[in-house]
Amino acid sequence: MSRNQHIFRPWVPEWLIRLNIFMVMFPTVMLFALSTANVNAATGYYGAEPQDIQFSMLVYYAALVAFTPLEKRFFSRIATKEYFLICLALQVIVTYLTYNAHDLYSLFTGRFLQGILNCGVTSICLTLLFSRLHSEHARETGYSIFYGMILCSGSLTSLVTAPLVDNYEYNVLYKMMIYAFVPGAVLLLLIMNRVHLTRKMPLYQLDWTSFFLYAPMLILLGYILIYGQQYYWLQNVTIRWSIVAIIFLTVVFVVRQLHRKRPFIDMAVFKSKGFVFGIFLLGALYIIRGAFNVTTTYFSQVLGMDPIHTYEVLIYNIIGIVIGAIIAGRLVIQRRPLQFIWLVGFFLLLVFHVSMYFLFAAEADQSTFIAPLIIQGLGAGMLLTPIVLFIISSVPESISASASTAGVFVRFAFFSLSTASINYFSLFFTRIHANSLSENTSALNVQLGERLHLYQAALQGRGLMSDQAAKVAPALLDRAIQKQVYMKYAMDYYEMIAILILILMFMIIMAPYINRTIINVRSNQPAAATV
């Protein structure tokens, strides 16, 4: 019998094994986006600012990125069943403590520990997923499935949690995650044999020093990108010292990696032109993908959709992602030119941003956005997996693990940068357009009185008394101005993203070495944490 046949008990049908793997994977992936499932509800519960909630997600992400290299050693040393039980038990305990957290520092601590423990569960799920795909292209298929789930995680998490947030306190989401973990985990423990899925490695000489250099550096990077604008960047002493600390930690970390036999990240990966180009594309994709939040905010702030209806509309985006990931997986397996795959994917994203530029309006029907949402999902689904496979395949097999680890860092850095850029440009463009619109609605503008009169007449037509309508009408006018300001900001930001996409497409056309890289990950173990 093969090793794959020994992983699970012989009486377990294949369909139940695959279903069980997905039952464990879904809550694992959803845990990442839980912090921002409903930012308004989270800020109200913790008495925090939106930046605090965004930072809690980056703390989780930083822990996941930093612990990835160490996790591989634990996974290879401990039998998979026992390792999963340990990770599960600790994950449930930490999630319960996070559920009981009522202040930001407790929340940050809980999210950091969740990120560390998520590495183990993710590693087990990926390896088990690959073990059930018996074709010669199992890893390509497995990566397509996993990255498709990652792309869907934000919308799917918000859709699932929206009814709970409407009816309960925000922290109940963490209790929901405990309940979501348990059924799949218990079933997996019942049907698995006690086996090692990877070659056993000793646990001595673990490089904890690199971890304690790497993790604070990532957290400080996220801190600067999230809070820098709020504290006026270099005008704030905390921001200045954070930058100094990042520089110091980075220098020490890099020097340490250059002199270690088994480094966290082998710096030789950066000698590959293909690898550098791949991580640049990956970072740009995360900035482009992050711009999708502008659309979801437009649905809620301008069109007035409640969270449930907002994320119901995003089901069409999820459908597009699934289709795009399937198409990308098939094209990679068929050895289609990567330039072709990437150009099609970025072109679809370009179509989405250009179409949304013209669709932003104060009033619109939901059906108007179905096609653009599907197109955006198709583009994102077609790009992420081929780019990641290109990054791993562009370096020698001996350092492919370092390429994967560096790729996780790039995703964290550009995910943080995307969040920061939206925060910055929303304030920048909002201030410009608000000043412009305020000039047009000044007391000297004769149209102001006419617009207020129209609002007042409409309110009286709905039954309000004249004096009440006169008080409410200015608030309606201000609301209309805020909508216009946000739409103009959204148009400006999507114009910038469209230009970025055109530049990327030109670079792809001008990089002939792309198609010389052969996608081959059959002999490479999956990354422990690839969110």
Side-chain angles (χ1 to χ4, degrees):
M1 297 176 68
S2 68
R3 186 189 69 175
N4 284 348
Q5 291 174 301
H6 283 291
I7 296 176
F8 296 95
R9 302 185 187 278
W11 52 267
V12 183
E14 183 64 27
W15 66 266
L16 181 59
I17 294 174
R18 299 189 179 191
L19 175 63
N20 191 193
I21 294 172
F22 280 100
M23 288 174 63
V24 177
M25 287 180 68
F26 268 115
T28 301
V29 173
M30 289 172 61
L31 192 62
F32 168 73
L34 202 63
S35 290
T36 55
N38 190 315
V39 175
N40 292 332
T43 54
Y45 180 79
Y46 293 107
E49 298 292 331
Q51 289 87 348
D52 299 323
I53 306 305
Q54 293 172 344
F55 183 63
S56 71
M57 181 165 63
L58 295 188
V59 168
Y60 173 94
Y61 208 163
L64 186 148
V65 174
F67 196 71
T68 294
L70 284 180
E71 190 280 331
K72 297 175 183 178
R73 298 284 298 277
F74 288 98
F75 182 44
S76 63
R77 184 68 181 89
I78 306 173
T80 304
K81 189 172 183 178
E82 284 77 1
Y83 184 56
F84 180 71
L85 180 60
I86 293 171
C87 292
L88 171 68
L90 293 175
Q91 188 73 277
V92 169
I93 292 172
V94 170
T95 303
Y96 182 75
L97 293 176
T98 308
Y99 162 73
N100 286 293
H102 298 287
D103 62 275
L104 285 176
Y105 293 106
S106 299
L107 175 65
F108 293 157
T109 302
R111 291 297 281 167
F112 183 82
L113 295 175
Q114 283 180 334
I116 290 176
L117 296 171
N118 185 268
C119 288
V121 181
T122 303
S123 182
I124 293 170
C125 290
L126 266 179
T127 307
L128 291 177
L129 175 63
F130 289 178
S131 74
R132 310 321 301 171
L133 302 171
H134 302 294
S135 71
E136 62 175 326
H137 299 291
R139 278 173 166 66
E140 288 91 333
T141 305
Y143 276 116
S144 297
I145 295 172
F146 186 68
Y147 284 116
M149 292 176 63
I150 289 175
L151 289 171
C152 297
S153 63
S155 300
L156 189 61
T157 302
S158 300
L159 177 63
V160 171
T161 58
L164 291 174
V165 175
D166 281 350
N167 295 286
Y168 300 96
E169 293 283 359
Y170 179 81
N171 67 329
V172 78
L173 298 184
Y174 292 102
K175 182 183 285 188
M176 177 208 72
M177 293 307 303
I178 295 175
Y179 294 140
F181 267 118
V182 171
V186 171
L187 179 59
L188 188 63
L189 292 171
L190 289 175
I191 65 177
M192 276 190 68
N193 289 314
R194 189 178 185 277
V195 295
H196 285 271
L197 295 180
T198 59
R199 182 173 60 87
K200 293 179 65 174
M201 295 179 62
L203 282 178
Y204 63 83
Q205 295 182 344
L206 290 175
D207 192 6
W208 288 104
T209 302
S210 291
F211 172 78
F212 287 114
L213 291 170
Y214 198 30
M217 184 265 287
L218 296 175
I219 293 174
L220 288 173
L221 177 63
Y223 177 84
I224 291 174
L225 290 174
I226 294 299
Y227 292 105
Q229 180 176 332
Q230 180 179 343
Y231 296 143
Y232 299 101
W233 299 105
L234 295 178
Q235 297 181 32
N236 181 269
V237 64
T238 305
I239 297 296
R240 292 200 300 268
W241 278 109
S242 296
I243 294 174
V244 172
I246 288 175
I247 296 173
F248 172 77
L249 292 171
T250 301
V251 171
V252 175
F253 178 79
V254 171
V255 171
R256 182 175 176 81
Q257 305 316 302
L258 292 173
H259 291 86
R260 282 192 60 83
K261 182 179 179 180
R262 286 190 293 268
F264 255 42
I265 301 176
D266 193 329
M267 297 300 160
V269 297
F270 294 98
K271 297 179 180 179
S272 168
K273 185 186 298 184
F275 173 80
V276 174
F277 186 79
I279 61 175
F280 173 77
L281 279 185
L282 184 63
L285 176 61
Y286 265 65
I287 291 178
I288 296 168
R289 175 65 181 172
F292 187 63
N293 292 328
V294 175
T295 296
T296 58
T297 305
Y298 162 76
F299 288 156
S300 59
Q301 289 191 5
V302 178
L303 298 185
M305 294 185 188
D306 58 67
I308 295 178
H309 287 91
T310 297
Y311 294 108
E312 283 180 351
V313 173
L314 296 185
I315 291 176
Y316 296 103
N317 183 250
I318 294 175
I319 293 172
I321 291 172
V322 172
I323 297 174
I326 293 173
I327 293 174
R330 293 302 304 171
L331 292 176
V332 169
I333 290 173
Q334 294 173 3
R335 301 285 190 243
R336 299 293 185 184
L338 281 177
Q339 280 182 317
F340 169 76
I341 301 174
W342 290 349
L343 287 173
V344 171
F346 279 115
F347 176 75
L348 291 171
L349 291 179
L350 179 64
V351 170
F352 166 75
H353 288 90
V354 172
S355 62
M356 286 302 300
Y357 180 91
F358 294 103
L359 290 176
F360 284 126
E363 296 180 0
D365 188 74
Q366 282 186 199
S367 59
T368 305
F369 303 100
I370 292 177
L373 290 175
I374 292 176
I375 291 173
Q376 200 278 346
L378 282 169
M382 287 191 66
L383 287 170
L384 184 55
T385 301
I387 291 176
V388 171
L389 294 179
F390 174 82
I391 290 173
I392 298 174
S393 302
S394 61
V395 299
E397 181 185 336
S398 59
I399 57 174
S400 61
S402 290
S404 179
T405 304
V408 178
F409 165 74
V410 169
R411 290 195 286 278
F412 166 81
F414 280 87
F415 178 84
S416 305
L417 183 61
S418 174
T419 304
S421 66
I422 290 177
N423 292 341
Y424 172 78
F425 285 109
S426 63
L427 183 61
F428 177 77
F429 287 123
T430 296
R431 184 168 57 246
I432 291 176
H433 295 305
N435 292 336
S436 175
L437 288 174
S438 64
E439 294 175 0
N440 296 328
T441 56
S442 63
L444 299 177
N445 192 333
V446 294
Q447 294 181 353
L448 175 62
E450 296 177 1
R451 179 62 63 91
L452 287 173
H453 180 72
L454 288 175
Y455 283 133
Q456 188 173 347
L459 291 169
Q460 288 178 333
R462 291 178 177 270
L464 282 182
M465 301 296 292
S466 177
D467 57 337
Q468 293 177 319
K471 294 178 180 178
V472 176
L476 292 179
L477 178 62
D478 181 68
R479 173 62 178 159
I481 292 174
Q482 294 302 318
K483 286 185 176 181
Q484 290 295 324
V485 168
Y486 185 85
M487 286 189 297
K488 289 181 177 297
Y489 145 68
M491 294 170 68
D492 289 337
Y493 194 74
Y494 272 28
E495 183 180 9
M496 292 170 53
I497 295 297
I499 294 173
L500 172 61
I501 294 173
L502 286 173
I503 294 173
L504 292 174
M505 293 177 68
F506 177 77
M507 293 176 64
I508 292 171
I509 294 173
M510 299 300 294
Y513 56 83
I514 294 174
N515 290 330
R516 292 200 292 266
T517 299
I518 300 175
I519 301 299
N520 179 18
V521 292
R522 279 176 288 177
S523 56
N524 297 332
Q525 284 291 359
T530 47
V531 177

